[in-house]
Amino acid sequence: MRMPEVNPLKFNEHEYQIVNDEVTKLYSTFRDNFFICRLQLVLKSFNISSVDVLLAIKDFLVSIQHTVNQNYISFNFPRELRGQELEVAKWAGLAQRQGTNLLQLDQSRLHEHDLDVYTLKNKRKTVPVKLDKCLKNKLDGFGYKNYQTAGQRLAVRACLTAKKGSTIFVNLPTGCGKTLVSHASIIFQREFANTIVILPTVGLAIEQAARAREVIEHCGIPVVSNYCWHASGLPRLC
């Protein structure tokens, strides 16, 4: 089921402080928990909404339930949920205890197939392979020591040795190194050639461009000073 479309609600200063105090208290107990650390980061984010916080709270509560077996831990929200917050909470599997502001998990809406995420179970078995010498020399000191997988090595080699005018489709799982494929193409491209990288969101484009700039400058390749980001047909110069 898709998440309902909402107009995000904001916390006032008092509400934000209550949430922040609750997160600080929980962090003192569960400081090794990945999801309480992520909840802290959400609170520090610019222009957060109550919906952002609700979703992060849900992730934390599920992770605690299935890592330390505390089935009934709750989160003290600063007020009763209202309007579209209720829709999002129901969709996410959160319920507010009647007569209080406490948020708890709705056990009937939890799915077993999601639990590997919350217990941080490693389901991907990857074996690093030796980095090709040409890339190793270019990227020396930049953190690249190996290919993450043989598939990543095959993708990079296919792109760097492709015939002019050819088309290559690279299909690698998330986290298996598609970014290096584009970096390798940039580093070894012909003079006056272009490498075009298409990404699904502006935020990811900004992050990837910053990373690419670091790689390019490290390799001594001239870079442009500005990029133009496009979203919803509206250009914005950065």
Side-chain angles (χ1 to χ4, degrees), residues 73-84:
I73 189 170
S74 57
F75 188 97
N76 183 31
F77 205 67
R79 52 174 165 72
E80 286 189 36
L81 298 178
R82 57 181 183 240
Q84 293 172 317

Side-chain angles (χ1 to χ4, degrees), residues 30 48 62 71-72 89 102 106 126 135 144 154 198 207 215 218 228-229 234:
F30 303 107
I48 62 162
V62 177
N71 292 347
Y72 299 103
L102 297 176
D106 179 353
T126 60
L135 269 177
Y144 287 109
L154 180 62
I198 300 173
E207 178 187 339
V215 171
H218 177 82
C228 188
W229 313 110
L234 299 175

Side-chain angles (χ1 to χ4, degrees), residues 115-176:
L115 298 183
D116 287 343
V117 174
Y118 296 105
T119 56
L120 301 182
K121 183 177 180 180
N122 183 12
K123 301 196 70 174
R124 182 181 299 154
K125 306 299 181 183
T126 60
V127 179
V129 294
K130 189 176 180 180
L131 196 66
D132 289 316
K133 190 172 182 179
C134 62
L135 269 177
K136 187 174 182 179
N137 291 339
K138 287 282 189 180
L139 298 173
D140 183 44
F142 200 74
Y144 287 109
K145 297 181 179 179
N146 299 289
Y147 288 113
Q148 294 183 42
T149 64
Q152 185 190 37
R153 178 177 64 184
L154 180 62
V156 170
R157 289 179 175 180
C159 287
L160 295 184
T161 59
K163 293 181 179 180
K164 185 177 180 179
S166 59
T167 300
I168 298 172
F169 289 93
V170 175
N171 185 4
L172 291 172
T174 299
C176 281

Side-chain angles (χ1 to χ4, degrees), residues 4-231:
E5 294 185 9
V6 298
N7 296 315
L9 299 173
K10 306 296 180 183
F11 292 121
N12 61 39
E13 187 173 341
H14 176 65
E15 292 169 344
Y16 177 86
Q17 191 59 52
I18 291 175
V19 174
N20 193 59
D21 290 345
E22 180 76 354
V23 172
T24 301
K25 181 180 70 175
L26 290 168
Y27 178 77
S28 66
T29 304
F30 303 107
R31 62 178 63 247
D32 294 328
N33 179 275
F34 168 82
F35 293 95
I36 193 63
C37 295
R38 193 180 71 166
L39 182 49
Q40 282 189 317
L41 290 176
V42 169
L43 286 177
K44 294 177 183 177
S45 301
F46 174 72
N47 204 27
I48 62 162
S49 71
S50 58
V51 168
D52 297 323
V53 175
L54 282 171
L55 295 175
I57 290 171
K58 178 256 185 171
D59 289 341
F60 165 68
L61 293 179
V62 177
S63 71
I64 290 301
Q65 175 172 300
H66 292 279
T67 53
V68 295
N69 298 319
Q70 293 198 24
N71 292 347
Y72 299 103
I73 189 170
S74 57
F75 188 97
N76 183 31
F77 205 67
R79 52 174 165 72
E80 286 189 36
L81 298 178
R82 57 181 183 240
Q84 293 172 317
E85 291 173 342
L86 287 167
E87 295 181 51
V88 172
K90 183 178 179 180
W91 173 85
L94 285 174
Q96 198 162 37
R97 191 186 300 173
Q98 189 172 8
T100 73
N101 294 337
L102 297 176
L103 295 175
Q104 290 184 322
L105 292 173
D106 179 353
Q107 301 295 331
S108 67
R109 299 187 65 82
L110 299 182
H111 303 287
E112 284 293 327
H113 58 264
D114 293 332
L115 298 183
D116 287 343
V117 174
Y118 296 105
T119 56
L120 301 182
K121 183 177 180 180
N122 183 12
K123 301 196 70 174
R124 182 181 299 154
K125 306 299 181 183
T126 60
V127 179
V129 294
K130 189 176 180 180
L131 196 66
D132 289 316
K133 190 172 182 179
C134 62
L135 269 177
K136 187 174 182 179
N137 291 339
K138 287 282 189 180
L139 298 173
D140 183 44
F142 200 74
Y144 287 109
K145 297 181 179 179
N146 299 289
Y147 288 113
Q148 294 183 42
T149 64
Q152 185 190 37
R153 178 177 64 184
L154 180 62
V156 170
R157 289 179 175 180
C159 287
L160 295 184
T161 59
K163 293 181 179 180
K164 185 177 180 179
S166 59
T167 300
I168 298 172
F169 289 93
V170 175
N171 185 4
L172 291 172
T174 299
C176 281
K178 292 186 287 293
T179 299
L180 182 59
V181 179
S182 64
H183 289 171
S185 299
I186 294 169
I187 293 169
F188 293 104
Q189 70 184 14
R190 297 181 301 276
E191 189 175 7
F192 303 118
N194 291 316
T195 297
I196 300 174
V197 181
I198 300 173
L199 297 157
T201 67
V202 172
L204 184 57
I206 293 172
E207 178 187 339
Q208 289 284 309
R211 179 70 172 169
R213 183 193 294 273
E214 292 175 0
V215 171
I216 292 168
E217 289 178 343
H218 177 82
C219 295
I221 302 171
V223 297
V224 299
S225 58
N226 291 297
Y227 291 88
C228 188
W229 313 110
H230 294 263

